Amino acid sequence: MAKKRKVIKRVYEKGKETTVPSLKERSIRKIPQTVSSSPAHGQDNKQTNSPFVLEEKTDLPLFYGRDRLSLMVKDSFWIYAYWEINRESLTSLQKNIRDSAAGGERLILRMYDVTLKDFNGHNANHYFDIEIQDLTGERYINLWCDNVSYIGDIGLRNAEGKFFPLVRSNWVHTPRLRYSDRREQVWMKVEDNDDISGPEDAARSFVENKKYEVRLKNYPSPNEQSPKNKRNRFAHISEDEVRKYYERLNPFLWESISSAIAKRYAERYEDPTARILFTGKFSDKELVDIFSLFPQTFWGNMFLHSSDIFREGGSQQLQKKPLAENETSGSQALAENPLGRKFFFELNAEVVIYGRTEPDAAVNMNGERVHLRPDGTFTLRFSLPDGDSPFEFKAESGDKLEKREINTYIRRRTDYKNR
Amino acid sequence: MRIALFAWESIHSISVGGVAFHVTELACALERKGHKVHVFTRLGRPDQKWYERIHGVHYHFCPFSPDLNFVEEINNMCRSFVDAFFQTEEHIGKFDIIHAHDWLTSNVIVWIKEERKHKAVLTIHSTEYGRCGNNFFEGNSARIRENERIGVHCADRVITVSRALKNEVMWMYGVKEDKVSVVYNGVNYRNFDGWIDPVAVRRMYGIGAMDPVVLFVGRIVYQKGPDLLIDAIPHILKYYDNAKFVFVGDGEMKSDIEDQARRVGVSHSTRFLGYLSGWRLIDLYKASDAVCIPSRNEPFGIVILEAWSAGKPVIASLNGGPGEIIWHEINGLKVYPNPDSVAWGIGTAFEDFDYASWMGRMGRVAVESAFSWNATADHVLSLYYN
């Protein structure tokens, strides 16, 4: 025979929870059966016949004897709050703060707006206070905007405005009034990546990756620490990782060079070189090579800010010790002339090529069509860099029966002395 | 492209806060990229010329009549800007973009749009709610909020300086998310290159050679939380009795803060220098050990970038912009905006100076990687084009 379970009932007396054996449990369960036989309701036949009417014996108690604050959402702009404060805990709090406080404490309900916050008691967006009188009570609280999160505190606020919380509520979020503001399409970027790894793989590779175990060069290793009470702060991170992390904040970083914004830029400028550059992906070294090919003004317009190229920046300088007299600092080294004078000497060359043919003939230079004047002459002018410059001209007569070809090579050499 | 920038401050007239640097540097960067930039700002001195071309940028300094009510005075300024704008447009032709900064000039784009069709961009550097220390006040503050709301809805595109500010604007004024974009501020970190003698700088302000120095840079107002730093000082003096706290900046709370320092009993370790800029400020950055930004609400915090450029770690509250750009324990410490937490941050930086200077170096790396005015201008330009 199974042991009969002892029926107990929890009661709260003087703020303490105790259990007593319940005697009336059985009789309470019988209440629905005795409803119809109640003489008080016998006069009204309609109510008596209804099976849902219960005798009003289940009065809720006025006090449970504990501190509690509960928030419930009514709609987008209303929150319902109900609470109970034990008088003993209130007096003990008053006793505790009496020494330091200025007096004049009022019982208030403080509502914190914690929308989009990991609330820790200090970082609420804002809060407002409602003065309350009753130790047990309820209230509808009106808000001025929808789609917000709230947490409430009940406590004492003294004349100086300092707040001593007593009990904290649950967290509620009011619903949105309208449809969401977010309607833009967000497409996932899928890249054909071979080493897609699950979470387990990532964990394993983290352990295997020796990079994370290497300590910073600039920072002394734990063995070199002199005093014992000094706390060791490890930073398992290198300068490059910091750089990578922050380059993500930059909208025009190298990795997103083929991004939509950059492409739009290129199309707008209608620069063929830019378009070639944006359609392909390049390694850093290749980019530097390409970088050196184009005139500085182009890069000035596009990416004047480029930390990768000017990588040896001031952070390296800051690590150095103060400069000796015969050394120059970084900013001085940037200046063109070490003597600080304005004398300069530059030299450049251009080449002019001219020719003559039938006015209706077609002339191509290095595969590009050359514009002819009405009398059949043409003139071309180029800047002449150092090295070999081939010019291959092909002419075709107007009736396409005859073809001629002239190739000319120009070589330029420049010697610098006392530069 | 012909661009009109409206701002109530610039380096060349009256400079109060971050907007001056933002506008002046943005105008220069846009000019470098080959655009015609006209800046409309208020007159700095009565004897200043009304038009000047500085570094290629056209500056229109507009006079206006003062008023006892601040909002009315700003509206007068806006009327003056609109007048100057129309006159300029009749003289040189139509502008492609009008770009206003903050609520102070938001009425300009509203009024110009009433008259002529223009593409308008509004940059929000901070909100009135944030400037009041995250409170909704009545009176003029409510009027200013209304100005912000109208400006934000009237502009074709809104720029905020951090994601936190973007959320704030979307939350308060009900703007659609795709209308608001985030463009970070920049800094000319090359200005901070070179080496100075920190001892000489410290001696100039009556600070000992080996004293740990914390620098506070910013307007001395409730929003920036200088009172939090003052309250934190006793905790730090307990362990570092020679620590010094330098306050740079002016504001309505300055005398209150000095009083508070005397009341707490730490006035011997504080220095109030008033507004500083240029090489004096840069020297101070270099001579300090850490820079503290205990703001209650900080939209971006150019001070962080300046501190990093000088290779100093920052101790900043995690509200708003600093929470986004600082990497905790790598190039700065994020703290809560209360005195105990600020004291913890400063104490942590003082505890291990090698570690603190390493954090400063990492800050310099961060600045070099991501923050420059050219990048800012590039980003703003891409917004102009779409």
Side-chain angles (χ1 to χ4, degrees), chain A residues 85-97:
Chain A
I85 305 292
N86 198 0
R87 186 166 289 284
E88 283 183 9
S89 51
L90 185 65
T91 46
S92 74
L93 175 68
Q94 278 169 336
K95 206 187 297 171
N96 283 338
I97 65 177

Side-chain angles (χ1 to χ4, degrees), chain B residues 213-231:
Chain B
V213 176
V214 174
L215 185 64
F216 172 97
V217 182
R219 284 175 293 122
I220 299 196
V221 293
Y222 182 75
Q223 179 198 0
K224 303 281 179 192
D227 49 325
L228 300 178
L229 181 54
I230 296 274
D231 279 341

Side-chain angles (χ1 to χ4, degrees), chain B residues 67-87:
Chain B
D67 196 295
L68 283 178
N69 187 339
F70 182 59
V71 179
E72 285 300 326
E73 183 168 338
I74 291 301
N75 280 347
N76 283 349
M77 181 187 82
C78 290
R79 285 183 197 105
S80 173
F81 285 0
V82 172
D83 183 49
F85 175 80
F86 284 151
Q87 280 185 28

